């Protein structure tokens, strides 16, 4: 059965990603000084103004405005009459609500005499999803992998000087054709790249095909029927916060699985690991990837739900889409037996009290080997359940 699925990505210069990167840059600076920092930092960028807000409780002392300007310069918004690194910055940061801290500082289970992993409770209620499949070596869906590769290639061509007329903002989109569940070809590639005025549409289209698409999409997925839509409006001079407002946490589908699986709605950037929106989503990816690598399923989606101030999840749901070597309810039992899903355990397992977050802010939080939630160190242990099947 022929079917099509599409995912998108954006470059680090997209206005939403500028905000994500500033929020995570601030978080990293806080964690460098105080690993027990509680933070939920958010940013809004609009034309010539940046608004930094949120909650921070920390012993660290960080110049938020200086961090923001450094991030903006590194992204590349320091050119022309409109240079966003000269923007007005409004800062409104306050401490974490004491009502929230009540449950995070000491979980419901800890108050009842639980063990050391019951120490902190979930920083909020919510439902988080993890996913893995065999489509790519990253055990991620092919459309989002290719969309991220294109976005990275677009940025590399700009920063390395290959296409010096490019500017920081950009978006990519890939439609993959499937035969059943097998990806067989790329049907459509969309690239929108901010550029200098002197670059012609013809030059941009030719260069993007050669230096961006040619470096990002394996040739075996492209054929004579593949469609290319490059700067389809015909011009993309105004970009970043000058062209569109940006907001932390507005690209959550880009950050995760490109729409392939469900999303609980919580964003990641700017949040310390006591926020299960972030840490439990990373843990869900970690366990899904190891389940697939172990051969327990070819595809798996996991939902983990929490109540604020409670350490243990209120539910764990598994769907292997008919690919499981065991029944889904059995795999759910294995997950809860083999993986400790309490916030303290997640933080320790993945080493999340470190300044590792700025690099997550663009090109996806998942499917990148440099991050600890992508380790496959539990797959061999999980294989024992195949022998019991």
């Amino acid at each position: 059965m022929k079917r099509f699925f599409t995912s998108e990505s954006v470059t680090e210069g997209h206005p939403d990603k500028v905000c994500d990167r500033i929020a995570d840059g601030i978080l990293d600076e806080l964690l460098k000084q105080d690993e027990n920092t509680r933070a939920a930092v958010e940013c809004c960028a609009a034309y010539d103004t940046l608004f930094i807000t949120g909650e921070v409780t920390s012993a660290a002392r960080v110049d938020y405005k200086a961090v923001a300007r450094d991030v903006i310069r590194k992204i590349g918004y320091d050119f022309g009459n409109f240079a966003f690194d000269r923007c007005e910055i409004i800062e409104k940061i306050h401490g974490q609500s004491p009502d929230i801290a009540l449950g995070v500082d000491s979980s419901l289970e800890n108050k009842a005499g639980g063990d050391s992993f019951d120490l902190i409770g979930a920083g909020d209620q919510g439902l988080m999803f993890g996913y893995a499949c065999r489509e790519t070596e990253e055990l991620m869906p092919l459309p989002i992998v290719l969309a991220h590769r294109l976005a990275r290639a677009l940025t590399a061509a700009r920063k390395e000087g290959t296409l010096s007329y490019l500017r920081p903002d950009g978006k990519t989109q890939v439609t993959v054709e499937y035969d059943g569940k097998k990806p067989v070809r790329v049907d459509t590639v969309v690239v929108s790249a901010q550029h200098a005025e002197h670059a012609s549409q013809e030059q941009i289209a030719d260069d993007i095909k050669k230096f961006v698409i040619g470096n990002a999409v394996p040739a075996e997925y492209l054929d004579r029927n593949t469609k290319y839509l490059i700067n389809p409006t015909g011009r993309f001079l105004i970009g970043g916060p000058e062209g569109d407002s940006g907001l932390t946490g507005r690209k959550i589908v880009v950050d995760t699985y490109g729409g392939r699986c469900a999303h609980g709605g919580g964003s990641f950037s700017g949040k310390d690991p006591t926020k299960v929106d972030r840490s439990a989503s990373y843990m869900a990816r970690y366990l899904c990837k190891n389940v697939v690598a172990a051969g327990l399923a070819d595809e798996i989606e996991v939902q983990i739900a929490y109540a604020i101030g409670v350490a243990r999840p209120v539910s764990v749901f598994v769907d292997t889409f008919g690919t499981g070597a065991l029944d889904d309810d059995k795999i759910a039992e294995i997950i809860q037996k083999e993986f400790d899903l309490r916030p303290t355990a997640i933080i320790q397992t993945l080493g999340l009290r470190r300044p590792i977050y700025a690099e997550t802010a663009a090109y996806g939080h998942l499917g990148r080997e440099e991050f600890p939630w992508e380790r496959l160190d539990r797959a061999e242990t999980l294989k024992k359940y195949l022998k019991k099947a």
Side-chain angles (χ1 to χ4, degrees):
M1 178 181 67
K2 182 187 294 188
R3 60 196 185 111
F4 300 85
F5 194 87
T6 302
S7 293
E8 70 158 346
S9 183
V10 297
T11 66
E12 62 196 47
H14 185 280
D16 293 332
K17 281 293 151 200
V18 172
C19 292
D20 284 345
R21 179 63 178 80
I22 293 169
D24 274 333
I26 289 171
L27 175 62
D28 275 1
E29 290 303 314
L30 290 164
L31 289 170
K32 285 177 185 177
Q33 298 180 38
D34 179 6
E35 68 174 15
N36 294 311
T37 287
R38 302 276 176 80
V41 179
E42 298 188 61
C43 301
C44 178
Y47 196 65
D48 61 353
T49 304
L50 174 67
F51 184 46
I52 304 175
T53 187
E55 303 81 49
V56 173
T57 298
S58 177
R61 294 294 176 263
V62 172
D63 186 336
Y64 302 130
K65 293 180 181 180
V67 172
R69 293 195 193 281
D70 183 58
V71 167
I72 293 165
R73 282 192 293 269
K74 286 179 178 177
I75 289 172
Y77 282 119
D78 55 357
F79 62 89
N81 294 328
F82 181 90
F84 193 63
D85 68 331
R86 300 195 301 267
C87 67
E88 176 187 4
I89 300 179
I90 301 169
E91 178 190 314
K92 294 289 185 181
I93 298 283
H94 59 85
Q96 183 180 58
S97 163
D99 293 346
I100 295 175
L102 279 173
V104 181
D105 292 340
S106 180
S107 73
L108 186 69
E109 296 94 330
N110 188 56
K111 293 182 177 81
D115 64 32
S116 61
F117 287 109
D118 285 322
L119 181 60
I120 66 173
D124 201 354
Q125 72 174 44
L127 40 144
M128 297 80 202
F129 289 87
Y131 180 84
C133 64
R134 292 195 180 278
E135 284 183 27
T136 62
E137 64 180 15
E138 297 92 342
L139 301 185
M140 289 282 287
L142 181 62
I144 189 64
V145 167
L146 294 181
H148 285 323
R149 287 181 187 173
L150 284 166
R152 278 186 175 276
L154 199 59
T155 297
R158 171 177 64 91
K159 288 190 169 182
E160 293 168 5
T162 306
L163 304 179
S164 60
Y165 57 78
L166 290 180
R167 298 295 183 254
D169 202 353
K171 301 181 76 172
T172 65
Q173 185 172 287
V174 179
T175 300
V176 173
E177 179 183 332
Y178 287 79
D179 181 3
K181 290 193 172 186
K182 181 182 178 182
V184 293
R185 59 181 292 273
V186 169
D187 182 75
T188 306
V189 178
V190 183
V191 178
S192 295
Q194 185 190 11
H195 59 89
E197 191 167 7
H198 65 79
S200 69
Q201 175 69 6
E202 292 76 16
Q203 178 187 8
I204 294 168
D206 289 345
D207 286 347
I208 293 296
K209 283 183 182 178
K210 181 178 180 180
F211 295 106
V212 176
I213 298 171
N215 288 332
V217 181
E220 61 264 29
Y221 287 117
L222 302 173
D223 59 32
R224 63 181 182 179
N225 295 318
T226 299
K227 298 179 283 292
Y228 301 94
L229 299 172
I230 298 171
N231 283 10
T233 68
R235 186 177 67 182
F236 189 179
L237 299 179
I238 301 171
E242 182 184 11
D244 194 7
S245 61
L247 189 66
T248 301
R250 196 155 56 182
K251 283 290 177 283
I252 56 177
V253 172
V254 170
D255 288 341
T256 52
Y257 304 97
R260 175 60 66 85
C261 78
H263 198 297
S267 64
F268 300 161
S269 289
K271 296 179 180 178
D272 77 87
T274 66
K275 277 60 171 187
V276 285
D277 280 345
R278 182 169 219 161
S279 55
S281 294
Y282 292 164
M283 189 66 171
R285 164 63 179 169
Y286 173 61
L287 65 88
C288 283
K289 189 175 182 182
N290 278 272
V291 164
V292 170
L296 292 176
D298 290 334
E299 181 182 14
I300 183 170
E301 177 183 283
V302 169
Q303 182 205 65
I304 308 171
Y306 291 87
I308 188 169
V310 180
R312 297 180 184 276
V314 298
S315 68
V316 176
F317 174 80
V318 168
D319 188 353
T320 62
F321 307 94
T323 71
L326 307 170
D327 291 341
D328 289 352
D329 58 349
K330 179 61 177 175
I331 293 177
E333 291 176 9
I334 292 169
I335 287 170
Q336 292 176 85
K337 179 180 179 180
E338 294 290 337
F339 297 89
D340 195 330
L341 302 177
R342 292 172 290 179
T344 299
I346 292 173
I347 290 167
Q348 290 193 18
T349 298
L350 300 180
L352 297 181
R353 291 197 187 277
R354 297 177 291 143
I356 59 174
Y357 299 105
E359 290 304 312
T360 69
Y363 315 113
H365 292 242
L366 310 170
R368 296 166 59 183
E369 296 300 320
E370 65 263 37
F371 298 134
W373 44 91
E374 296 295 323
R375 298 194 312 255
L376 288 175
D377 54 347
R378 302 297 298 278
E380 286 301 316
T381 299
L382 293 173
K383 287 179 180 179
K384 66 187 178 185
Y385 293 100
L386 292 172
K387 300 174 183 177
K388 299 177 183 179

